[in-house]
C-alpha cells in the first residue's frame, strides 16, 4: 500500500466535502489503486490542525468537518495551532523529506484568496505538488501563473505532473484537461466560448422562459444559487477569471485587466445594500425583456458567456443561435465549446454540472489521485 501525504488549505464547503470524500473512498482507493491519502495538516485563516504522528486519523478529519460546519475555527480544535498564515504553516512541516522512501505532500488550495500564492510557490520549490480549486492564484500576475503552471520548465511549457487546477473552470467538468490534450497534440485552438456560471445560466434561461429579471434574480437568491450578495455573480468577474485561465492555458500572455467584462447591472447599484439591490433590479426588467424579445426575432437567445478569440477575452451577455449548443443549454449546467483545426465547424463541447461543493470536491480529489501516480 502506497501512502501519499496531503495538506489542505481552506475548509469551506469544498474543503469539507473533500475531507468527507477522502474518508468515504478509503476502501475504493486501497482496492483499486493500492493508495491511501494521508492528511497530515488542515488549515484555515485562524490556524491549523496538524498531525502529531504520520497522519490525522479519520475521526479527527470528521471532527474538523463538523467543527467548520458549525462556523468554528480550527484553532479551537484540541490539535489546533493558532496562526493562519499558509506559508508559515507549510514551513513548519517537512515538505521535502530527506528520507528517499518518503514522498513530498501534495498541497491542496481550497481557499478563495490570492494570499496562498507564497505558500504554493514555496511548496513547489520544496518538491511538493499542488492542486488548486482556488482561481485567484492563477489570475494574478502572469509571472505567478507561469511559475505555478510551469514549475521551472522552459518558457511556454506546462508541468502537468506537478500542478493541477481542473476545478477552477467548471467544478469537475474536464475543461482544463481537454484544452491541455488539444495543445499537446498540436490541434490549434482558435476559439473558446462558454458559460461558466450555473447561477448566471439559471438567470438567462429564466429570462428565456419569460420571467422578469428581478423575479429570476430574487428567486435564484432565495434558492441559494447566488452568493449572499448576488452582485458577486451578476458582475461577471468570477467568469472573467475562468476565461483568463483558459486564455493563459492557450499560451496567451494576458492580465485580468485585459478581459472585457460587461455585468448585468449598472455600477450605480454597487453602493447600496443587498436588500436595496434586490428591490432595484425591477428597474432593469423592461431592458432585459426587450433584449430577449429582440433576440427571439433573430432566432437567438441571451446567454452570459465568455468568448476567447483573436487575442481578446470578452465576458458578458451574448446573443447565440437557439440551435447552437449554448442556445440549447438550460438550467444551471455549464458548457464550453472549443473550436480547433479538427473540431470545426462543429466545436468540441464539454457540458454538465458546473457548480456545487460535492462536484467540485470530486474534481479536486481526482486531481490529487492523478498526481499520486506521477511520482
Amino acid at each position: 500500500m502506497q501512502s501519499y501525504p496531503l495538506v489542505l488549505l481552506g475548509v469551506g464547503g469544498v474543503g469539507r466535502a473533500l475531507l468527507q470524500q477522502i474518508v468515504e473512498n478509503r476502501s475504493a482507493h486501497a482496492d483499486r489503486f493500492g493508495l491511501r491519502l494521508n492528511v497530515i495538516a488542515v488549515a484555515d485563516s485562524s490556524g491549523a490542525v496538524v498531525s502529531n504522528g504520520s497522519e490525522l486519523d479519520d475521526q479527527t478529519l470528521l471532527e474538523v468537518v463538523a467543527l467548520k460546519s458549525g462556523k468554528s475555527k480550527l484553532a479551537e480544535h484540541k490539535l489546533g495551532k493558532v496562526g493562519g498564515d499558509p506559508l508559515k504553516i507549510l514551513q513548519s512541516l517537512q515538505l521535502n523529506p530527506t528520507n528517499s522512501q518518503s514522498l513530498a505532500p501534495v498541497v491542496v488550495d481550497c481557499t478563495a484568496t490570492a494570499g496562498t500564492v507564497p505558500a504554493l510557490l514555496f511548496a513547489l520549490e520544496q518538491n511538493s505538488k499542488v492542486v488548486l480549486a482556488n482561481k485567484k492564484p492563477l489570475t494574478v500576475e502572469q509571472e505567478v501563473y507561469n511559475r505555478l503552471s510551469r514549475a521551472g520548465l522552459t518558457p511556454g511549457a506546462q508541468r502537468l505532473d506537478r500542478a493541477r487546477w481542473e476545478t477552477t473552470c467548471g467544478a469537475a467538468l474536464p475543461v482544463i484537461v481537454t484544452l491541455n490534450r488539444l495543445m499537446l497534440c498540436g490541434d490549434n485552438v482558435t476559439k473558446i466560448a462558454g458559460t461558466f456560471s450555473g447561477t448566471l445560466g439559471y438567470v438567462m434561461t429564466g429570462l428565456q422562459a419569460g420571467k422578469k429579471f428581478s423575479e429570476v434574480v430574487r428567486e435564484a437568491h432565495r434558492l441559494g444559487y447566488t452568493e449572499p450578495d448576488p452582485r458577486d455573480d451578476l458582475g461577471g468577474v468570477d467568469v472573467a477569471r475562468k476565461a483568463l485561465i483558459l486564455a493563459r492555458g492557450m499560451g496567451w500572455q494576458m492580465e485580468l485587466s485585459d478581459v472585457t467584462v460587461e455585468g448585468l447591472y449598472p455600477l450605480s447599484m454597487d453602493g447600496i445594500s443587498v436588500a436595496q439591490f434586490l428591490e432595484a433590479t425591477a428597474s432593469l426588467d423592461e431592458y432585459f425583456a426587450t433584449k430577449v424579445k429582440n433576440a427571439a426575432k433573430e432566432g437567438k437567445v441571451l446567454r452570459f458567456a465568455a468568448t476567447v478569440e483573436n487575442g481578446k477575452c470578452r465576458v458578458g451577455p451574448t446573443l447565440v443561435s437557439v440551435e447552437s449548443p449554448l442556445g440549447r443549454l438550460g438550467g444551471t449546467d455549464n458548457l464550453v465549446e472549443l473550436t480547433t483545426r479538427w473540431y470545426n465547424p462543429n466545436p468540441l463541447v464539454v457540458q454538465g454540472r458546473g457548480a456545487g461543493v460535492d462536484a467540485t470536491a470530486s474534481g479536486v480529489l481526482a486531481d490529487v489521485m492523478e498526481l499520486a501516480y506521477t511520482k
Side-chain angles (χ1 to χ4, degrees):
M1 177 77 69
Q2 176 68 65
S3 295
Y4 193 69
L6 182 150
V7 176
L8 174 61
L9 305 177
V11 204
V14 174
R16 295 196 301 272
L18 175 62
L19 293 178
Q20 289 181 305
Q21 290 180 21
I22 288 173
V23 173
E24 292 168 359
N25 280 284
R26 290 294 192 201
S27 296
H29 288 166
D31 295 342
R32 298 175 188 171
F33 309 110
L35 186 70
R36 179 181 177 85
L37 297 180
N38 287 353
V39 181
I40 61 173
V42 180
D44 67 5
S45 60
S46 73
V49 173
V50 181
S51 62
N52 291 324
S54 60
E55 66 172 309
L56 297 171
D57 60 34
D58 288 351
Q59 180 180 340
T60 300
L61 296 182
L62 295 178
E63 287 174 358
V64 165
V65 171
L67 185 73
K68 292 298 295 183
S69 296
K71 309 299 182 183
S72 296
K73 301 176 181 179
L74 289 187
E76 299 172 7
H77 189 274
K78 60 186 177 183
L79 297 178
K81 297 182 178 180
V82 177
D85 183 329
L87 177 58
K88 291 182 178 179
I89 290 169
L90 294 189
Q91 288 173 334
S92 71
L93 303 171
Q94 190 177 11
L95 294 189
N96 195 0
T98 55
N99 182 352
S100 62
Q101 301 301 312
S102 299
L103 295 172
V106 60
V107 176
V108 180
D109 184 356
C110 287
T111 70
T113 173
T116 56
V117 166
L120 299 176
L121 295 176
F122 172 78
L124 290 172
E125 291 168 359
Q126 297 299 307
N127 204 37
S128 285
K129 299 179 181 182
V130 167
V131 170
L132 296 100
N134 179 12
K135 295 178 284 293
K136 291 184 178 178
L138 296 167
T139 56
V140 292
E141 295 81 2
Q142 178 77 47
E143 182 267 342
V144 173
Y145 173 89
N146 293 347
R147 292 173 67 188
L148 289 173
S149 65
R150 297 172 186 170
L153 288 190
T154 56
Q158 287 195 159
R159 292 219 56 160
L160 304 182
D161 63 333
R162 294 288 304 283
R164 296 288 176 91
W165 53 93
E166 188 64 66
T167 58
T168 59
C169 289
L173 289 182
V175 178
I176 302 297
V177 69
T178 300
L179 175 60
N180 285 340
R181 287 179 62 84
L182 292 170
M183 300 298 290
L184 285 167
C185 73
D187 189 4
N188 185 42
V189 180
T190 58
K191 178 181 179 180
I192 299 177
T195 56
F196 302 116
S197 168
T199 300
L200 294 176
Y202 183 86
V203 172
M204 293 295 102
T205 52
L207 290 174
Q208 184 181 348
K211 293 181 178 180
K212 295 179 180 180
F213 179 74
S214 58
E215 176 187 0
V216 71
V217 168
R218 292 168 190 171
E219 185 177 72
H221 184 256
R222 184 177 66 254
L223 294 172
Y225 291 165
T226 72
E227 294 295 326
D229 186 337
R231 287 167 291 194
D232 292 341
D233 298 291
L234 301 177
V237 176
D238 186 65
V239 176
R241 288 194 176 97
K242 297 175 183 180
L244 177 62
I245 290 170
L246 293 176
R248 287 177 168 176
M250 293 167 63
W252 294 10
Q253 303 292 300
M254 177 176 280
E255 302 295 342
L256 186 60
S257 59
D258 297 322
V259 181
T260 301
V261 182
E262 179 186 352
L264 293 179
Y265 67 92
L267 294 179
S268 59
M269 290 185 176
D270 270 340
I272 57 179
S273 69
V274 171
Q276 289 171 327
F277 172 76
L278 290 172
E279 185 68 25
T281 54
S283 65
L284 301 174
D285 288 345
E286 184 176 350
Y287 170 79
F288 281 106
T290 300
K291 287 185 73 73
V292 170
K293 183 178 179 180
N294 291 339
K297 291 178 181 178
E298 301 177 23
K300 296 181 178 181
V301 292
L302 194 63
R303 294 288 182 263
F304 195 94
T307 304
V308 183
E309 184 179 24
N310 296 327
K312 297 180 180 180
C313 278
R314 179 192 175 276
V315 170
T318 305
L319 293 180
V320 300
S321 169
V322 70
E323 297 300 328
S324 69
L326 282 176
R328 294 193 297 268
L329 192 67
T332 58
D333 270 10
N334 284 358
L335 182 149
V336 183
E337 300 175 346
L338 299 102
T339 302
T340 74
R341 177 172 54 168
W342 305 126
Y343 292 95
N344 190 5
N346 296 324
L348 189 161
V349 176
V350 181
Q351 178 182 347
R353 180 180 178 181
V357 295
D358 291 321
T360 303
S362 73
V364 174
L365 183 55
D367 275 350
V368 171
M369 292 295 290
E370 287 182 345
L371 284 178
Y373 279 89
T374 54
K375 295 190 277 292

